[in-house]
Amino acid sequence: MLPVHIKRLPRLSCFSLSLLFLAFQANAAPTINGVSKVGKSKTEKGEVVRVQGSNFGRKEAGPAVLYDHGDIAWENGRLNDYHQSFDDMQLIQRIDADPQTLWAKPSLAGNGNTGVLLSRSRDSRSGAAGAHYYGSGNKNFLGWPTAHGGMEVESKSKAMYAAFWMKIPFDPNYFYAIPANSDSYGFIEGEDGEYGERIEVEGESGYGRIISYEPDLGELTHGWVFLEPPRGLEGSLKGKKITGVTSKTVIVFPDGPSRGKFDQVGYITPGGKYARFWSDESGTGYRFSLGSAGFPGTGGSLWTNNFGHLSPTPGEWNLFEVALNVGDSARGLKPSLRASINGKTFVESTEEWVEQMLSRTEERGLDDESALTIALLGMGDFRTIPFSFDLDDIYLDDSLQRVMVCSAATISEVHSGEGACELQHIETWDRSAIEFSFYSGALTAQRDNLFLYVFDERGVPNSKGFPLPSILGSAPNAPSSVSVN
């Protein structure tokens, strides 16, 4: 249960709030004047780079709360190499079973779920040797990083930036599950984590794909078929025959939805949750979920609706980012949200959302609530989805301030999904100088053409990337300064 009205907070006049917000928003964006190499990191992070400029803002702690590469992680800037001793596909356990765990409350193995495993044998994101997380099943996730206090979040920050790379085999925006018939065993499935045969819809053009046939799922006699219909036909499938192009196996799409999940005849629509961010374990404080249907917030109807139909690309590594602050009127900081996939906007706050967020915060007495943390990262849904995921390079901080290196020359190109970006290991941060340890990640193929971005506490970066010749030796000449007007 969510708390009802707890207390009324003192109201500032609209005029006072407007002045505060305008004063904050008038701050200039970051300007980068130059970069230089400092030397090698002492903790396996790579070259240390010093960035000089202005308007970087004050950051309470330089390093991020967590930057987890799977086999090694940095917690508040300190190396944690506990996972280096893990075997291939070793289970990540909860803190009651493993006091040294990096994640206090990951999912448990069982009921068709593997739990989250540390994989050394699956293909890495960069192609180099290393480790990342893997799980299979409908309820597999990491949760509550111990670097952030575990289930007791050790922060009073009003902001949270989280990012992670995830690879999933199918598109959770488009799959459907429908009751199987006695012939459904004839559908040709793909290998583990791959699409099966193409399918046609009666009277329609285009092809969809079989995902999986699950004969023992639910209470129906023949189980369920998971499929992805041809794009654009999601609203015109009812009652139509679906035929396997190769197998010629036929099934009929139901006329209505299942009201009893997998125990009643009817179709089950797409869904899935990639991440959940909560401020307390009970879920009574701030809570937001990043799913295939959008970004619900605070347990109510606080939805941003500007997400369109953006999906992660199946079978490839996708960068998810969530930059969220819950608002701080004392500093003139409005609530804001931007979630993205591969740089493109997935959901973004609107003025209506901001007003609702302010109202809900006051109504539920959440003004003193602690910062949000990662409560779920992986896959969480009631559907027994034949899904797996690979998860790597998990980044969490109590500030929207961060440093990224990208292969795109402008932030507008980044937000258009061009190029690739890697978050950097921040060492120190002040208003006019930052030091970070260069992390190339999967950027090795673009090392001759990389650009630097510094984000301030509003999450605003320099609009033009600053070239990095001092790191790589062959990038374009750096301009004297780069800023946003």
Side-chain angles (χ1 to χ4, degrees), residues 120-427:
R120 299 183 181 279
S121 55
R122 294 178 63 83
D123 291 341
S124 71
R125 193 165 70 82
S126 66
H132 64 269
Y133 298 105
Y134 168 79
S136 179
N138 68 316
K139 290 185 178 179
N140 266 312
F141 50 85
L142 296 173
W144 303 94
T146 54
H148 216 197
M151 275 82 80
E152 299 292 334
V153 183
E154 296 174 350
S155 173
K156 293 296 181 182
S157 172
K158 296 294 183 181
M160 181 204 73
Y161 173 80
F164 55 94
W165 289 83
M166 181 182 287
K167 181 170 68 172
I168 51 180
F170 312 113
D171 189 338
N173 271 343
Y174 291 99
F175 81 90
Y176 284 78
I178 61 176
N181 59 28
S182 59
D183 296 326
S184 294
Y185 67 88
F187 283 119
I188 301 172
E189 300 176 78
E191 299 295 328
D192 183 36
E194 296 180 0
Y195 284 104
E197 69 174 315
R198 293 188 300 172
I199 53 175
E200 294 177 308
V201 177
E202 178 185 3
E204 304 287 354
S205 61
Y207 296 101
R209 302 297 290 264
I210 286 293
I211 291 177
S212 175
Y213 170 43
E214 305 291 332
D216 300 320
L217 178 59
E219 298 295 327
L220 301 185
T221 303
H222 302 294
W224 290 76
V225 172
F226 288 80
L227 55 87
E228 184 177 297
R231 296 295 169 91
L233 301 184
E234 293 81 20
S236 58
L237 296 169
K238 296 177 182 179
K240 293 185 177 179
K241 292 180 181 179
I242 294 175
T243 304
V245 171
T246 301
S247 68
K248 305 303 179 185
T249 302
V250 177
I251 195 171
V252 176
F253 199 93
D255 290 320
S258 170
R259 302 297 182 185
K261 299 181 181 178
F262 291 104
D263 297 331
Q264 186 183 72
V265 172
Y267 60 84
I268 294 178
T269 56
K273 186 182 297 181
Y274 311 118
R276 184 172 69 197
F277 308 103
W278 284 8
S279 59
D280 64 76
E281 188 187 9
S282 67
T284 57
Y286 289 116
R287 64 182 199 178
F288 295 83
S289 295
L290 177 60
S292 59
F295 199 105
T298 68
S301 58
L302 282 180
W303 289 77
T304 51
N305 53 20
N306 187 27
F307 60 88
H309 296 284
L310 191 63
S311 299
T313 304
E316 296 183 10
W317 286 97
N318 297 268
L319 174 62
F320 292 76
E321 297 176 85
V322 177
L324 169 69
N325 78 70
V326 296
D328 189 348
S329 60
R331 298 176 55 235
L333 183 61
K334 282 187 178 183
S336 67
L337 163 70
R338 182 178 183 270
S340 62
I341 301 177
N342 299 323
K344 295 182 179 180
T345 299
F346 180 63
V347 286
E348 192 167 31
S349 52
T350 62
E351 284 301 316
E352 181 182 6
W353 182 90
V354 170
E355 295 307 316
Q356 286 184 321
M357 185 66 189
L358 290 169
S359 175
R360 288 295 179 90
T361 295
E362 180 180 7
E363 176 186 308
R364 293 197 163 108
L366 300 178
D367 191 65
D368 295 326
E369 193 75 20
S370 63
L372 283 78
T373 194
I374 296 171
L376 178 151
L377 201 59
M379 189 62 68
D381 206 303
F382 77 82
R383 304 161 180 83
T384 309
I385 310 168
F387 268 51
S388 62
F389 66 84
D390 294 89
L391 182 65
D392 202 2
D393 289 338
I394 303 164
Y395 188 101
L396 173 68
D397 203 8
D398 288 337
S399 170
L400 304 188
Q401 292 161 289
R402 57 197 187 271
V403 174
M404 296 187 81
V405 172
C406 304
S407 59
T410 67
I411 199 65
S412 61
E413 290 174 333
V414 172
H415 291 171
S416 296
E418 297 181 31
C421 294
E422 294 290 350
L423 285 152
Q424 300 302 306
H425 286 277
I426 299 167
E427 302 287 350

Side-chain angles (χ1 to χ4, degrees), residues 8-225:
R8 301 291 293 182
L9 301 175
R11 285 184 177 274
L12 293 172
S13 70
C14 292
F15 179 72
S16 298
L17 282 172
S18 297
L19 287 178
L20 285 168
F21 292 146
L22 286 173
F24 188 86
Q25 292 170 346
N27 290 347
T31 295
I32 302 174
N33 294 327
V35 295
S36 57
K37 282 197 293 189
V38 176
K40 280 282 189 181
S41 169
K42 297 178 181 179
T43 54
E44 305 180 45
K45 293 182 186 175
E47 295 281 356
V48 178
V49 180
R50 183 175 178 82
V51 185
Q52 293 177 304
S54 59
N55 304 322
F56 299 159
R58 182 170 177 267
K59 191 176 190 294
E60 290 291 337
V65 170
L66 176 70
Y67 203 173
D68 185 355
H69 298 303
D71 51 350
I72 52 177
W74 281 267
E75 300 172 316
N76 299 294
R78 296 183 295 272
L79 175 65
N80 185 331
D81 60 359
Y82 177 54
H83 284 171
Q84 282 193 328
S85 64
F86 276 36
D87 295 329
D88 183 34
M89 296 301 183
Q90 184 168 332
L91 180 69
I92 307 301
Q93 300 190 74
R94 296 186 173 186
I95 198 166
D96 54 352
D98 181 3
Q100 297 185 71
T101 187
L102 277 66
W103 296 88
K105 196 177 179 181
S107 58
L108 298 173
N111 297 319
N113 298 297
T114 61
V116 180
L117 313 172
L118 186 75
S119 172
R120 299 183 181 279
S121 55
R122 294 178 63 83
D123 291 341
S124 71
R125 193 165 70 82
S126 66
H132 64 269
Y133 298 105
Y134 168 79
S136 179
N138 68 316
K139 290 185 178 179
N140 266 312
F141 50 85
L142 296 173
W144 303 94
T146 54
H148 216 197
M151 275 82 80
E152 299 292 334
V153 183
E154 296 174 350
S155 173
K156 293 296 181 182
S157 172
K158 296 294 183 181
M160 181 204 73
Y161 173 80
F164 55 94
W165 289 83
M166 181 182 287
K167 181 170 68 172
I168 51 180
F170 312 113
D171 189 338
N173 271 343
Y174 291 99
F175 81 90
Y176 284 78
I178 61 176
N181 59 28
S182 59
D183 296 326
S184 294
Y185 67 88
F187 283 119
I188 301 172
E189 300 176 78
E191 299 295 328
D192 183 36
E194 296 180 0
Y195 284 104
E197 69 174 315
R198 293 188 300 172
I199 53 175
E200 294 177 308
V201 177
E202 178 185 3
E204 304 287 354
S205 61
Y207 296 101
R209 302 297 290 264
I210 286 293
I211 291 177
S212 175
Y213 170 43
E214 305 291 332
D216 300 320
L217 178 59
E219 298 295 327
L220 301 185
T221 303
H222 302 294
W224 290 76
V225 172

Side-chain angles (χ1 to χ4, degrees), residues 1-7 362-365:
M1 290 289 293
L2 288 170
V4 294
H5 182 87
I6 298 175
K7 62 181 179 181
E362 180 180 7
E363 176 186 308
R364 293 197 163 108

